[in-house]
Amino acid sequence: MSKSRLNFKANTLPAMVMVGPVVLIMVLLIAVPLIYVCIMSFCSIDEFYNVTYNFTFDNYLRLANQDYLKIYTQSIFIAFITTLICILIGYPFSYLIARTKSKKKKILYMLVIIPFWTNSLIRIYGWRTFLGTNGWLNTILQLLNITDEPIDFLYKTGATILGMVYCFIPFMILPLYTSIEKLDVTLLEASSDLGAGSMKTFVNVILPLTSGGIFSGSLMVFIPCLGYFFVSDILGGGNSDVIGNLIERQFQGGNNWPLGAALSIVLIVVTLALVKVYQKLGGDMDALGV
């Protein structure tokens, strides 16, 4: 065996040992399921709702159904409002964390991380208890004589948006914090020395320099909002469905796996398209964990 071949094996073997298991896991847990879902989206079902491998494009054609279009529109509306509220709340909070120099900075940062320690499903059930007619909110309002009888806060679009904001606000704050933390303080000082007020400095200096964090956070909030079906189930009561609800029903009650798979593939394609736009605009892929 030649010396060059021995050197090649000596160099590649450690790399294969390190990378090989990771590649195998990614293929088995990501690539194979995606391929299966893609194949499933072109399948059919028989009269007993069993999946048959008679390939057809009918599942994708059915996605243009009028009832489905209403859910698409509603999903985009909920995701857009959720993203907007997360920006309005997350930006000031992220700026506060980034500009705090004392030990309070760690406390503020931990307030963002702590929700991840509890399952989001449990936290959403907590909101349902809090907002219910017999919940704490109605009890407090009646004790303060603000209302005479319980108010039904649940099973409305507003309750769904509240739950979405609660679940995704950390995903907006973290990239915004990273973006604001990288701001060059000398640029802010230069803006002030040139006579610009706080608002002009924010609009002309801070906002453009942190636009990457805003777009990154928006992407991390908007896309998952389209699929978080359990939030609209628990807080919206089926009155504010998102695309995730539509997919979940096809796999559960509707027992139409090919149609659910087609919806899933479309959602994946939309996600990839938005990520590609983000990349084309100069976005940092590391900020998305990609």
Side-chain angles (χ1 to χ4, degrees):
M1 187 176 294
S2 65
K3 186 176 181 181
S4 59
R5 185 172 297 181
L6 287 173
N7 290 334
F8 175 78
K9 286 189 174 182
N11 293 330
T12 57
L13 187 59
M16 291 180 64
V17 171
M18 295 294 293
V19 178
V22 177
V23 173
L24 183 62
I25 290 172
M26 292 185 67
V27 168
L28 292 177
L29 300 183
I30 297 177
V32 172
L34 282 176
I35 293 171
Y36 177 73
V37 171
C38 186
I39 294 173
M40 177 71 67
S41 69
F42 292 101
C43 294
S44 307
I45 55 173
D46 58 21
E47 63 273 18
F48 302 107
Y49 295 97
N50 296 314
V51 176
T52 60
Y53 291 92
N54 297 322
F55 293 102
T56 177
F57 288 96
D58 290 346
N59 296 315
Y60 288 94
L61 295 177
R62 287 184 61 186
L63 299 184
N65 183 287
Q66 191 68 30
D67 293 332
Y68 294 168
L69 292 176
K70 291 180 181 178
I71 295 178
Y72 304 155
T73 305
Q74 185 171 258
S75 299
I76 293 172
F77 172 76
I78 291 173
F80 176 77
I81 298 298
T82 299
T83 304
L84 185 61
I85 294 173
C86 284
I87 292 173
L88 294 176
I89 296 175
Y91 201 102
F93 192 76
S94 301
Y95 194 88
L96 177 64
I97 299 175
R99 290 291 167 252
T100 300
K101 300 299 181 183
S102 63
K103 292 182 179 179
K104 294 180 180 178
K105 184 171 187 174
K106 292 183 179 179
I107 297 174
L108 293 173
Y109 195 79
M110 285 301 297
L111 290 175
V112 180
I113 302 299
I114 284 174
F116 289 112
W117 296 357
T118 308
N119 186 279
S120 55
L121 184 62
I122 296 173
R123 289 186 276 126
I124 291 300
Y125 269 110
W127 272 108
R128 190 174 77 166
T129 303
F130 180 76
L131 296 173
T133 52
N134 297 319
W136 287 11
L137 181 57
N138 273 300
T139 301
I140 294 170
L141 291 176
Q142 290 179 77
L143 285 175
L144 296 175
N145 294 321
I146 296 175
T147 59
D148 296 327
E149 57 184 18
I151 300 174
D152 188 11
F153 292 105
L154 293 173
Y155 312 132
K156 296 178 175 63
T157 302
T160 300
I161 292 174
L162 173 64
M164 293 289 191
V165 171
Y166 177 71
C167 284
F168 293 115
I169 189 68
F171 295 98
M172 179 63 73
I173 291 175
L174 293 177
L176 281 174
Y177 164 75
T178 303
S179 182
I180 295 171
E181 182 81 343
K182 294 178 181 178
L183 274 176
D184 189 349
V185 181
T186 58
L187 295 176
L188 306 184
E189 294 174 351
S191 177
S192 179
D193 292 341
L194 292 171
S198 300
M199 184 55 67
K200 281 189 175 181
T201 300
F202 175 75
V203 173
N204 297 320
V205 180
I206 298 176
L207 198 60
L209 291 176
T210 57
S211 59
I214 295 173
F215 195 76
S216 174
S218 299
L219 207 59
M220 294 175 70
V221 171
F222 185 88
I223 294 173
C225 270
L226 300 175
Y228 252 47
F229 64 90
F230 67 88
V231 176
S232 57
D233 271 348
I234 296 170
L235 297 180
N239 297 321
S240 51
D241 289 342
V242 294
I243 296 175
N245 293 101
L246 199 55
I247 296 172
E248 186 261 345
R249 285 181 191 137
Q250 300 309 319
F251 281 99
Q252 296 294 330
N255 203 24
N256 192 339
W257 286 31
L259 183 58
L263 283 162
S264 301
I265 292 297
V266 170
L267 194 57
I268 291 171
V269 170
V270 170
T271 301
L272 293 176
L274 290 174
V275 171
K276 193 65 178 178
V277 170
Y278 171 73
Q279 187 179 18
K280 287 290 185 181
L281 293 175
D284 183 9
M285 298 303 290
D286 290 336
L288 298 178
V290 179

